[in-house]
Amino acid sequence: MGPRKVVVVGAGMVGLSCAWSLQEYGIDVEVLDRAAVGSGASWGNAGFLAPALTVPLPEPSILRYGIRAVMDRHSPVRLPPRADPELARFLLRLSRNCTTARWSKAMAGYRMLNERIFESFDAQLTDGVRAEVRAADLLAAFTGAAEATGLQHELDGVVASGQQVDVELLTGDQARHAEPNLSEQIRLAMVVRGQRYIDPVAYASALAASVRARGGTITEHLAVSGIQRTAGRIRVSSADGGREADAVVLASGAWLPQLATPHGVRMPQFGGRGYSFTVPLRQPLRSPLYFPAARAALAPRGDRVRVAGVMEFQRPDAPLDPARIAATVRALRPLLAGADWSRIEDQWVGARPLSADGIPLVGPSTTEGVYIAGGHGMWGVTLGPLTGRLLAERMATGSIGPELDWLDPTR
Ligand SMILES: Cc1cc2nc3c(=O)[nH]c(=O)nc-3n(C[C@H](O)[C@H](O)[C@H](O)COP(=O)(O)OP(=O)(O)OC[C@H]3O[C@@H](n4cnc5c(N)ncnc54)[C@H](O)[C@@H]3O)c2cc1C
C-alpha cells in the first residue's frame, strides 16, 4: 500500500508539482519551505517550456567554452574567486561527462521525458491549476553564421535522438520583421516552432493555490534540518518540533545535498547561479527570444522583458553580484534595439540545481520512505510537472517505468 501522509520539502516548481500529483492519488500532503512559495530558482527564471532545447548540460563545447570563459571577466560563465573543494569535485565529474557519447546517451533519456512535457502541463491546467501557458515560436538570434553553429549542432543532436524539432532559418531582415526589437547587428536567426512559455511566479503561485484548494497544507518560513526513519515512520526535523509522515519527498533545489546525502545520493551537485532583471521595451516582445552567444533568454512580461542568463558556480546563498547584471547588459545592448537600459528593475539571482552528469535525480533514495526530486539544472520549470507525475505514480503504485529507472538518484 502507498503512503497516506507525505511531507514535501521545497515549495518550488518541482516540490509543488510532486505535492499536486500525490494528491491525484488521494494522498494527504504538507509542503514545507524555509522561505516563501516559489522564491528559489522557480522565481526569476525565463519560464521557457522548450522541449527542443531541454538537453543535457555536459557536452564537449562547454569544456572549451568554460576554459575561455574563466579567463574573461566579462563572460557569462563565472567561477568563485576562492577554491572550493566541493566545486572542484563537481567540475571534475562534470568534465568527465563532457563527451559526445555520454551526451547522446543522456539525450536518449531526455527525449523520453521531452515527449511528455506538454501533456504534464495540460494535466495540471485541466485539473485545477489556474495559470496561463502560452504557445510560442522561440526566436534564437545571431550576429553571424559562426555564432549559430553551437545551437545548430545541439539541435542536430536532438533530432538524432529521434525527437522531432521544427526549425526555420531567417535572414537578419526577416528576423527583424518577426521581432522588431532586434537591432541591425542581427544577421541570422532560427525560429524553433511549437514551444511554450509561462510567467513562473504566477504559475508557482497558481500551483500552490491548487494544492491548498485540494486540502494540502503549505507551511512557509520553516527550514527542515534533517530526515530520519524510525520505527517505520519518517521523522522530519524542524525548529517547530518537526512532524512525522509515511514518506518524504526532498525537492529542495540547489540545497538538496544537505538533506539528501545521508540517504545515499552521491552524485556531485552544485548551484549554477543565474541572474535576471526586467527592462522596458519600446514595443512588447512578440515571442520568447534567445541569444545563445550571450547565454541570455528573454521572455515577454507586459511592456517589459525579463532577461535571464549567466552561469556562476557559487554557493546558492551568496549575495547577488551586480557585476553579473552589468555584464549581461553590456552583451545585450548592441543586440536589442528599443530597450531602456536606464530603467532596469527586479534584479534577481537564483541557483539552478545542477547534477554533475546533467541528469535529474528522481526516485527512491536508499532509505525506505525517503524520495528525491531534484537536479533539474537548466530545465526544472519545464520538467517539474512531469517529475511530479512520475514520482507520485512510483510512490502510490510502486510502478517504475524506464523514465524513473534512468533518473535513479542513487546512481
Ligand atoms: C536565470 C535562470 C533562468 C532559468 N530559465 C529556465 C527556463 O526558461 N525554463 C526552465 O525550465 N528552467 C529554467 N531555469 C531553471 C529552473 O529555474 C530550475 O531548474 C527550477 O526552478 C528548479 O526548481 P526546484 O523546485 O527544484 O528548486 P527551487 O525553485 O529552488 O525550490 C527549492 C525550494 O526548496 C526550499 N528549501 C531549500 N532547503 C530547504 C530546507 N532545508 N527546508 C525547507 N525548504 C528548503 C527553497 O527555499 C526553495 O523554495 C532557470 C534558472 C535560472 C537561474
Side-chain angles (χ1 to χ4, degrees):
M1 201 182 67
R4 276 188 308 236
K5 157 100 197 175
V6 175
V7 169
V8 178
V9 183
M13 191 66 181
V14 174
L16 290 170
S17 292
C18 290
W20 190 89
S21 289
L22 286 163
Q23 291 176 316
E24 296 275 275
Y25 292 92
I27 295 169
D28 180 21
V29 295
E30 181 177 14
V31 185
L32 306 178
D33 200 292
R34 59 172 212 157
V37 161
S39 62
S42 299
W43 198 82
N45 63 78
F48 285 16
L49 312 180
L53 304 181
T54 303
V55 302
L57 177 69
E59 54 106 20
S61 80
I62 71 160
L63 276 189
R64 291 192 298 276
Y65 180 84
I67 291 164
R68 247 189 303 131
V70 172
M71 318 297 275
D72 174 4
R73 67 191 184 88
H74 298 316
S75 159
V77 176
R78 295 302 295 156
L79 287 172
R82 272 178 297 283
D84 180 332
E86 215 173 294
L87 175 60
R89 195 167 83 91
F90 170 82
L91 290 177
L92 186 65
R93 186 74 174 268
L94 181 83
S95 67
R96 284 203 207 118
N97 285 295
C98 289
T99 68
T100 304
R102 289 201 183 181
W103 188 89
S104 301
K105 192 162 173 244
M107 187 58 226
Y110 268 92
R111 198 213 62 207
M112 266 190 301
L113 301 183
N114 289 349
E115 283 167 353
R116 298 184 56 193
I117 285 169
F118 291 157
E119 104 195 9
S120 65
F121 275 88
D122 292 344
Q124 291 190 343
L125 295 177
T126 51
D127 213 354
V129 178
R130 301 206 192 296
E132 205 173 355
V133 175
R134 288 172 186 254
D137 293 336
L138 197 147
L139 196 64
F142 310 94
T143 58
E147 261 184 16
T149 51
L151 182 60
Q152 184 62 61
H153 180 71
E154 191 172 292
L155 291 171
D156 288 346
V158 175
V159 172
S161 79
Q163 187 177 320
Q164 224 182 332
V165 178
D166 183 1
V167 177
E168 188 189 339
L169 284 183
L170 302 184
T171 63
D173 285 341
Q174 288 169 327
R176 270 179 293 284
H177 184 69
E179 179 46 72
N181 286 295
L182 291 174
S183 79
E184 289 294 325
Q185 298 231 358
I186 297 303
R187 307 254 152 70
L188 180 74
M190 284 182 201
V191 186
V192 185
R193 301 215 182 279
Q195 311 301 296
R196 298 185 186 177
Y197 71 101
I198 56 171
D199 174 342
V201 179
Y203 198 94
S205 133
L207 191 50
S210 180
V211 168
R212 286 190 175 113
R214 295 158 143 220
T217 308
I218 302 180
T219 306
E220 297 172 286
H221 306 290
L222 184 65
V224 170
S225 52
I227 307 290
Q228 289 88 31
R229 184 178 169 84
T230 40
R233 298 274 289 162
I234 297 298
R235 169 113 205 111
V236 178
S237 305
S238 51
D240 67 345
R243 64 250 310 120
E244 282 196 351
D246 301 315
V248 65
V249 176
L250 302 180
S252 46
W255 298 267
L256 181 65
Q258 294 155 14
L259 295 174
T261 306
H263 303 286
V265 178
R266 288 158 307 176
M267 177 61 64
Q269 297 165 66
F270 211 82
R273 299 209 315 167
Y275 285 71
S276 75
F277 55 89
T278 67
V279 67
L281 286 178
R282 218 178 290 137
Q283 49 182 312
L285 206 62
R286 291 188 182 164
S287 64
L289 195 56
Y290 177 36
F291 294 106
R295 298 282 195 275
L298 280 66
R301 294 282 183 277
D303 62 349
R304 300 180 77 86
V305 59
R306 181 166 288 278
V307 177
V310 180
M311 177 64 84
E312 180 188 58
F313 292 106
Q314 178 62 282
R315 297 282 163 168
D317 295 311
L320 180 149
D321 177 358
R324 308 271 46 87
I325 305 243
T328 306
V329 171
R330 205 175 303 115
L332 291 189
R333 202 184 274 273
L335 308 178
L336 202 62
D340 183 351
W341 298 108
S342 66
R343 291 172 56 208
I344 289 175
E345 285 175 12
D346 308 313
Q347 300 192 19
W348 174 82
V349 62
R352 304 176 185 91
L354 300 177
S355 68
D357 63 359
I359 299 171
L361 304 152
V362 184
S365 73
T366 51
T367 306
E368 199 184 334
V370 177
Y371 294 84
I372 310 296
H376 293 83
M378 312 282 285
W379 295 108
V381 172
T382 301
L383 293 169
L386 180 57
T387 295
R389 283 188 111 184
L390 295 172
L391 189 62
E393 186 187 7
R394 164 68 178 80
M395 291 172 70
T397 69
S399 95
I400 310 180
E403 295 101 337
L404 268 198
D405 206 21
W406 172 64
L407 299 171
D408 180 0
T410 63
R411 61 185 179 265

